[in-house]
Structures are given as C-alpha cells and as structure tokens.
Amino acid sequence: MSTDQRPPTGPADRPADRPSGDWQGLSPLSVWANTAAGALFIVPAAVVGTVVLVLLDLAWWAAAPLPGALALIAGLTVLDMVFLRAVSYRVTGERMEMRSGVLSKAYRSVPRERVRSVDVAAPIYARPFGLCVVTVGTGEQVDAGSDQVKLQYVTAAQGERLRRELLYRGAPAAAEGAEGAPDAEGLELARLDPRWFAYAPATTATLGIGIGALAALIGANAQSEGWIYRWVSEWAGLPSTAEIGAFVMGRLLVVLPVSLLVLLLSGTAVLLAVAVETWWNYRLVREADGTVVMRRGLLNSQSLTVEGRRLNGVTLHEPLVLRSVRGADVRAVATGLGAADDEKTQAKSRLSPPMPRARARELAADLMRTPESPLDMPLSAHPRAALRRRLVRAGWAALGGFAVAGALAWLHSLAAAAWWETAHEIEERLNPLPVATHLVEATPTWGWWLLGAAFAAVAFWYAVGSHRALGHGLHPRYLVVRRGMAVRDTVTLERAAVIGWRITRTPFQRRAGLAHVSATTASGAGMYTASDVGLSQGLAWADMAVPELLSQFLERDDRSPDRPGPAA
Amino acid sequence: MTTDTPRLRPPHHRVDPRAVRWWTTRSLAVTVVLTAIPVVPALIWEPVRFWFLVAAAVIVVPGLVITLVMPRWRYRVHRWEVTDTAVYASSGWFWQEWRVAPMSRIQTVDTARGPLQRAFGLSSVTVTTASAAGPIEIAGLDHALATRVADQLTETTQAVPGDAT
C-alpha cells in the first residue's frame, strides 16, 4: 500500500514533493565491504583448490584457482560499483524515497508516519569500513521474500541520522511517568550485566547441542569409513574399539554420567559463545522522544529502534529450564516487528538477554511506563474443566506410551541372537564406540515398561503444570494473558491496541463450557489468546478490557432476555 | 459486572438459504475428486483392485456423511450482523468461531464470488483488519445484499477516524 512503482526518472529532476532532503547515495566504501565479504569466502576456497591440485600433481592446473578468484572478485567489484551508483535515497518531510536498479529501475516511497521500526546492523566485515545496514520496517504484514526498504551499506553516521530522522515525530512524548531525568542521551533502561551470561546455557537445547556435536563427529567418522578414528587411535595409542567397548560395558554406572557431563559441558560452551556474541555491549535506552533503542553484539553489532507509540506491550518469556533457575527474558509486542513467521517475529522482538526474573519484570514495567506493573496483577485461574481437558490428553499420551513400550518389549523378546549380531556389526561400522546396541540388548523387559511409566508420569506432570500456567487479568491500561508449560509466555497488550475479538470453540470445549478468547491486534503475533477460559468468564474479561465493543453482542442472565429473533 | 454470567448472543442475520446448496455442491465435488484418485487405478490395475476399492470406501463414506451433515449444521451456525460500531460474524460447524471487529479498525472491505458461488447467486464479504489473525469472512450472502453490505461498511469506515492499527 505504501510502496508504489513509478516510471524511472533521472536523479536530477525532483518529484513534486517538498525537497527538504537531498538525494544521497550509499557509501562508496560499501563496494569494498562487499569485496572483503566475498574475498573472505572466495580466497580460502581458491587456496584450498591450489593445495589440492598441487597434492594431486597437477602443477599446471594449480596456477589457475588464485588468478581466477582474483578476476572473479574484481568482476564482482566492478558490477557492484555500477549498482552502487544507481541506488539513492532521501528523507523528506513526509516520506522516505529510494531508487535502485540498473536494468530494471525501481522507485519506492514510504510515508514517514508508516515507519514503525529502524534496524541498524553492522556485520563484522562492514565494521572496519565504518559501515552499517539500515532496514526500515513498516506496519505491513511482511511476506516471505518481500522487499523491505534496505540500505546496504551507508556510513555509521548516515545510519544514526536515518534512525533519528525517520522515527522523530516532532513533539517529544516525554513526561509520561518516566522516572529519572532523561538527558540528551535518553534514559537507560538496562545494560548488560556479565553475570547474566550464566543463564545462557539454561535451555533444553544444551544437551541437544552437545549430542549434535557428537553426532557430527560420528557422522564424519562414518563418512571416512572409520579412517579418522583409526588415525586418531594410532596417533594417541588408544586400545582397540573392542577393548574400549568391553571397558565401557563393565563400568556403565561411571561412563553414563561422565558422558552426559561431557555433552552438557560442550553444549554449554557453544551456547555461552553464542550469547556473548549476541548480547555483548547490550544496552536498552528510551530516548527523549519516546523511542526505545536496543544496541547489542560483539562481532556483528546490531541496533533496533522501536517507536514508543508502537510498543503496545511486552512478553515475559520463560522457557522451562530457564524458569527452573528463576530466569526470564523480555520481548516486545510492537507493530512493525512482524516477520514472515512466528519464530522470526519472536527472535526479532527480543529486547533483553535471559536475566534474573525479578530484573526482567522490572525492565518490563519500565518499558510499559506504568506506576503499577501489569505483570504484578493477580491473574484469574481457568476453570477445572480446562485441567480435565489436559488430564484427558495426558491420559491418551500415556496410553500411547505404554502401547509403544509394550510393542518394544515384545519385539525385544522376539529378537534372536543372529539379529543382535547384525545390529552390532552395523553399529561397529558407524560408531567407534559401539555400545548403544549392547545397551539395548542388555535392557530387561521391565525396563521398557519402566520407560513407559516414566513417560506417563511426565505427561501428567506436564498437564497439571500447563493448567497452572493458564491465567488472564486486567490492568487499567493493559490486558494480561499467560500460558505455556514448555515455554511460559506472559503477554501484556495495551487495551487500546486491541482491534477485535475472536472466540473459538471445539465440540469438546462446548461440552465443557470452555472457549479460546483471543484479542486480535496489529502488534507482534497478531493475536493473543486466553486459552480454555470459561466462556462467560472470558467474555466478561473481554468486555471489560474494551468497553462498548463486545457488550452489544452479549446477553446477561440477570436481565430479562430481550433476544431479538433471528431475522433471516 | 463480573457477578452475572454473560453469554454471546448469535448475530442477527442468517446467511442466504441457498448457501446450503452451495456448501453441499462444494463438499460433493471434493468427495468425488478425492474418491476418483483410488478408483481410477482400481479400474485399470486388476491385481490390487480390492485394496484400492477399500481406500475409495474409506474416503467416500465420511465424505458423504460430511456432505449430508455439514451444510445444514453450517447454516445453523453461520450468522452475521453489522451495527453502527462493529461487525460481528459467526462461522464453522464442528469448530466454531465468533469474530468481532470495531468499525474504527477496519482497513478494507471486499466482496468476492467464486464460479460456484456465482452459480447460486451468492457472494462473500471479506472484512480485513491490521491483525495477522486473518480477515472476517461472511460467506454465502445474496449477491445484491453482499454488495449493499460492503458499500455500507466502506461508507461507515471512511466516516470513522483512526489509522486502523
């Protein structure tokens, strides 16, 4: 809607718009940044190619890769220069305009009032040149592959100016209960505390990443048909795999915990490194005009700016493991932060690293600028029928688990010695430490049933937990919903940002008197749901949250029902 | 206000009765196409004819049951209403949905009619808001009525101020 295509015009003539801003080009240095980025990949590949060719005794061919790579880089650089000339942008009083393209020219224009967020990123190869990428977010629902306005690259100074200009709306929206004295730099809401990195490994992925690293090693070994492992064991003087296997089987009680520990440690190392790279220099500031700016990143520094008026709420995000160590992180519920899918929206809207829950709640309250935090509101619990639904589901899951356990136990009793031999052989070919099939063979029949019982116990624990997570509440300015056992999200949404209601019921919900009551909004995920709420409880909540909207469609028991008959 | 127990009252207007025939035809068409997929190889390929016919039966029986039950059930559920301040619609049959959107937040109003709807003289009105929750669709209205409703909605939403987000 806000972008349109016009026949290309030369940069000299100006559209009828007020020419308060001049046309500017991208930074000439961006050509070199692109060259550097390309060279980072192309040159090592060429070097490897040369080495391989020399090793293969193809001396003549070995002279080809490096000059070829250089020619390729030079060609790309020249092309880049041509494209760079074609791109120009300007910011006028009302709109931001951008021209691009050499063969097919494009003109895009975005009204400034539609700009909801400005994202400034400085990838590692652009930083030595003092450059950054600016992405301008509008309120549109962004489809996969749609082109946002993206300037790649401008100088850091240009980026900073764009960020300020595009979101500056004249009158500062300050003095709305902001504590502290907002200076020219703005009010700092949060700054990285290195101790928060301790929360980084607190995810269910820690073990998984460790297993992933190990699986990658085993996979590489299998690819080389065991060659890697033989080489390592010869070099280190390791005993044969059979001996190690026997050793492991003899000391399972020691080996299992130790290997778990190793997996945990390697996962922790990876996650810590990622957290440091993502959140180093983290700083969250509210500027004098109300916009919220987040800066972060060690190698790839990022900054995200959200206009204050578009920040319609926050999400307190508590995944299971993080919750168990009393940690949480804060995410924005804002217009213009939508991405192609939910996962991307979630990642884009993060406003803080995992931090202590108390600190996260404090930060959330600061972001919402209310004297009394909506997150401190007591939430109404959802009816017992909601618990019953979850218990029934857990019951079905448990039955399924027992059926699988029984089938496995039965297959186990059927498996003959010859069958196990084959399994061991296959594993020995793939895995230098072939203990998995031995372990399975040694499992007694009751072991399978024990696994089934453990699964059932977890299912019921999960059901009770997810019922206890359900809640909804009202604050004078916000509505609050909470749900989730694996990932508990407490969402606050400004009541003024609700743009409709959606109530859905399955036959089971209708029988149990339950419903999903969702507030639809232009912000964030687009819809926030009070799950399995009692129908009248949920309707009363929705009616109070946005007065004058739902009440005309409700009938109440205490009034005489003056139901107008259905007019066909 | 919380002491009483509010209930959702159904929207005032039913959709056009011809919608029942439209839904029946649509469901029947889908059933026929899906059934044809295993029937065609069953006719050509003798040895596995039995199993393909079993697959066809597995598809055709629930398909016909849905074709019989769904349209009438839908006709009982699908309703709509436009007031001065909001649009209110209910839809679905097994899974039911009620949607409310205030006039001030409506972005676009469209009417659409597929070839099948056109054959029955029907139209759909689609009301879009800025939410990713999807538009409100009132399907199976008489064509003239749908146009009138859309015109009226467009007029009202233009009169109401606000940037619809």
Side-chain angles (χ1 to χ4, degrees):
Chain A
M1 219 173 14
S2 61
T3 59
D4 54 1
Q5 303 264 334
R6 265 193 229 171
T9 46
D13 66 303
R14 297 189 159 152
D17 239 335
R18 217 165 8 125
S20 67
D22 289 326
W23 285 98
Q24 298 184 48
L26 301 181
S27 165
L29 283 175
S30 44
V31 173
W32 301 112
N34 278 333
T35 306
L40 269 179
F41 293 99
I42 297 172
V43 170
V47 168
V48 169
T50 310
V51 170
V52 168
L53 287 170
V54 166
L55 282 180
L56 291 176
D57 250 358
L58 294 166
W60 279 108
W61 288 103
L66 270 178
L70 291 181
L72 180 64
I73 292 170
L76 287 177
T77 306
V78 170
L79 260 184
D80 242 13
M81 280 180 178
V82 175
F83 278 107
L84 176 87
R85 290 255 175 87
V87 179
S88 59
Y89 72 91
R90 71 168 179 178
V91 180
T92 68
E94 286 88 33
R95 36 189 59 238
M96 169 170 182
E97 293 164 287
M98 179 178 170
R99 287 195 181 123
S100 61
V102 176
L103 293 177
S104 66
K105 299 203 179 246
Y107 169 87
R108 301 171 53 99
S109 135
V110 180
R112 273 175 63 180
E113 59 175 7
R114 290 223 160 226
V115 174
R116 309 274 151 98
S117 70
V118 179
D119 202 342
V120 181
I124 183 164
Y125 47 83
R127 257 206 272 172
F129 301 95
L131 299 177
C132 57
V133 184
V134 176
T135 312
V136 178
T138 59
E140 325 271 287
Q141 292 300 328
V142 184
D143 300 324
S146 91
D147 39 3
Q148 296 164 294
V149 177
K150 198 172 185 181
L151 297 171
Q152 192 168 359
Y153 305 86
V154 293
T155 62
Q158 275 176 307
E160 181 62 24
R161 229 184 92 205
L162 273 172
R163 193 181 66 69
R164 284 186 181 278
E165 274 181 6
L166 281 175
L167 286 178
Y168 187 68
R169 299 283 195 268
E176 259 183 59
E179 60 271 30
D183 48 36
E185 260 288 273
L187 176 75
E188 182 173 273
L189 300 174
R191 172 192 284 277
L192 181 75
D193 181 340
R195 281 174 296 179
W196 294 345
F197 285 130
Y199 287 102
T203 72
T204 37
T206 313
L207 204 61
I209 287 173
I211 291 174
L214 206 73
L217 281 181
I218 290 177
N221 186 53
Q223 283 286 318
S224 69
E225 307 200 316
W227 182 83
I228 294 179
Y229 182 73
R230 275 201 302 280
W231 185 76
V232 169
S233 68
E234 250 171 58
W235 181 74
L238 291 178
S240 76
T241 54
E243 281 168 307
I244 294 182
F247 175 83
V248 167
M249 290 306 289
R251 291 168 185 72
L252 261 188
L253 281 183
V254 184
V255 169
L256 272 185
V258 167
S259 45
L260 270 181
L261 195 70
V262 169
L263 289 181
L264 267 179
L265 283 180
S266 53
T268 302
V270 171
L271 284 169
L272 263 181
V274 170
V276 169
E277 144 55 25
T278 312
W279 293 107
W280 195 255
N281 275 335
Y282 163 72
R283 201 161 168 255
L284 191 66
V285 173
R286 178 181 296 118
E287 301 202 320
D289 61 351
T291 54
V292 172
V293 183
M294 178 181 66
R295 292 194 175 79
R296 62 179 173 83
L298 177 64
L299 301 177
N300 295 302
S301 70
Q302 289 256 354
S303 105
L304 175 71
T305 308
V306 183
E307 191 199 345
R309 197 158 54 93
R310 303 295 177 188
L311 188 66
N312 294 128
V314 295
T315 303
L316 192 73
H317 184 76
E318 302 169 278
L320 182 63
V321 182
L322 189 58
R323 194 162 75 228
S324 69
V325 292
R326 308 186 61 78
D329 71 61
V330 178
R331 296 171 181 215
V333 174
T335 2
L337 278 184
D341 55 84
D342 263 8
E343 215 166 293
K344 272 195 194 153
T345 309
Q346 286 260 329
K348 226 176 153 188
S349 56
R350 284 189 300 178
L351 287 183
S352 89
M355 47 163 77
R357 186 190 301 157
R359 181 73 187 85
R361 295 174 76 101
E362 201 182 306
L363 174 59
D366 284 349
L367 278 167
M368 287 183 283
R369 293 202 275 193
T370 47
E372 203 182 348
S373 172
L375 289 173
D376 293 336
M377 288 280 135
L379 298 186
S380 324
H382 291 199
R384 289 198 75 76
L387 175 61
R388 229 170 294 134
R389 267 194 100 194
R390 280 160 182 72
L391 288 179
V392 167
R393 267 185 236 156
W396 285 112
L399 272 181
F402 276 120
V404 171
L408 284 175
W410 180 65
L411 283 176
H412 192 249
S413 69
L414 281 186
W419 193 89
W420 285 116
E421 280 303 312
T422 331
H424 296 329
E425 247 172 61
I426 293 173
E427 202 197 351
E428 263 158 42
R429 216 173 306 153
L430 299 178
N431 187 351
L433 281 184
V435 289
T437 47
H438 286 281
L439 216 80
V440 173
E441 190 182 2
T443 310
T445 311
W446 55 262
W448 297 113
W449 292 109
L450 198 68
L451 274 180
F455 178 75
V458 169
F460 281 102
W461 167 74
Y462 192 92
V464 172
S466 59
H467 176 251
R468 282 180 49 182
L470 293 177
H472 62 278
L474 270 188
H475 173 271
R477 263 180 60 206
Y478 289 85
L479 57 85
V480 188
V481 289
R482 187 182 63 198
R483 71 189 292 193
M485 176 66 180
V487 175
R488 179 165 304 169
D489 276 334
T490 315
V491 180
T492 68
L493 176 67
E494 227 164 341
R495 286 157 65 166
V498 175
I499 61 173
W501 293 97
R502 176 178 186 258
I503 296 131
T504 57
R505 307 183 82 186
T506 66
F508 306 107
Q509 283 178 315
R510 290 201 288 275
R511 224 176 45 196
L514 300 174
H516 288 325
V517 177
S518 316
T520 61
T521 171
S523 297
M527 184 163 68
Y528 293 97
T529 304
S531 303
D532 276 337
V533 70
L535 180 64
S536 48
Q537 184 190 18
L539 291 174
W541 170 71
D543 185 27
M544 275 205 286
V546 186
E548 311 285 304
L549 176 54
L550 210 54
S551 52
Q552 53 189 325
F553 306 122
L554 297 181
E555 46 193 24
R556 296 172 189 283
D557 279 350
D558 59 352
R559 245 191 287 154
S560 68
D562 51 343
R563 179 195 300 207
Chain B
M1 201 148 161
T2 40
T3 49
D4 58 354
T5 54
R7 282 195 317 265
L8 268 182
R9 72 166 170 74
H12 278 169
H13 312 295
R14 282 181 192 276
V15 298
D16 197 282
R18 280 171 292 176
V20 175
R21 273 181 281 155
W22 167 47
W23 286 318
T24 309
T25 316
R26 201 176 57 173
S27 172
L28 200 62
V30 171
T31 308
V32 166
V33 169
L34 286 182
T35 314
I37 294 171
V39 163
V40 170
L43 291 179
I44 303 168
W45 206 6
E46 179 100 42
V48 288
R49 177 168 292 171
F50 175 73
W51 294 109
F52 274 110
L53 287 180
V54 167
V58 166
I59 293 169
V60 79
V61 171
L64 287 180
V65 169
I66 289 174
T67 306
L68 274 181
V69 174
M70 180 272 283
R72 272 157 206 84
W73 196 342
R74 264 193 196 282
Y75 184 65
R76 290 220 317 259
V77 177
H78 278 243
R79 283 162 166 272
W80 63 277
E81 181 177 345
V82 176
T83 71
D84 292 340
T85 52
V87 176
Y88 177 33
S90 59
S91 61
W93 52 295
F94 208 67
W95 283 273
Q96 297 175 2
E97 181 184 272
W98 291 260
R99 291 285 298 266
V100 178
M103 286 294 174
S104 56
R105 306 307 183 106
I106 291 173
Q107 286 191 323
T108 59
V109 181
D110 307 299
T111 58
R113 44 195 331 218
L116 202 55
Q117 278 207 68
R118 195 149 37 192
F120 291 98
L122 298 172
S123 264
S124 300
V125 176
T126 307
V127 179
T128 322
T129 64
S131 166
I136 299 180
E137 201 191 3
I138 308 169
L141 295 185
D142 174 74
H143 178 58
L145 178 63
T147 316
R148 227 163 44 234
V149 169
D151 287 349
Q152 183 205 336
L153 274 174
T154 312
E155 224 166 86
T156 325
T157 49
Q158 271 166 2
V160 178
D163 74 343
T165 56

